[in-house]
Amino acid sequence: MERQAGYDVTRALSHAMAGLCAQLDVPFLSVWNPLLAHPSWCAEIARGDGAHPAGGGYAALARIIHGWPAWRKWMGPLP
């Protein structure tokens, strides 16, 4: 029950941040659903404190961010 409450708070914060970014015309990348669908992320947060993964989960997050067009535009072309 406590973990679900944490998920609900995180989902609500993500939704609120998306709305604020839209109002400010700032790019926003929602990672909530992609991470919940990623086996490494879920397994690692389950083994830990319920919110923070180990290296494999953070690698999954990095791949999501790396593939985001707004990130690529900001960082410039790959070497």
Side-chain angles (χ1 to χ4, degrees):
M1 182 71 147
E2 186 176 320
R3 181 169 290 159
Q4 184 60 45
Y7 286 176
D8 292 344
V9 169
T10 302
R11 185 181 300 113
L13 288 172
S14 179
H15 183 74
M17 183 65 73
L20 178 60
C21 288
Q23 288 176 3
L24 298 172
D25 197 28
V26 173
F28 176 76
L29 173 61
S30 177
V31 297
W32 178 249
N33 287 326
L35 288 176
L36 284 183
H38 199 282
S40 291
W41 180 271
C42 292
E44 291 180 12
I45 63 170
R47 284 193 299 267
D49 66 0
H52 302 95
Y58 283 116
L61 175 59
R63 283 189 295 275
I64 292 167
I65 294 168
H66 182 77
W68 185 39
W71 176 259
R72 298 288 355 130
K73 181 179 177 183
W74 184 51
M75 295 303 293
L78 293 173

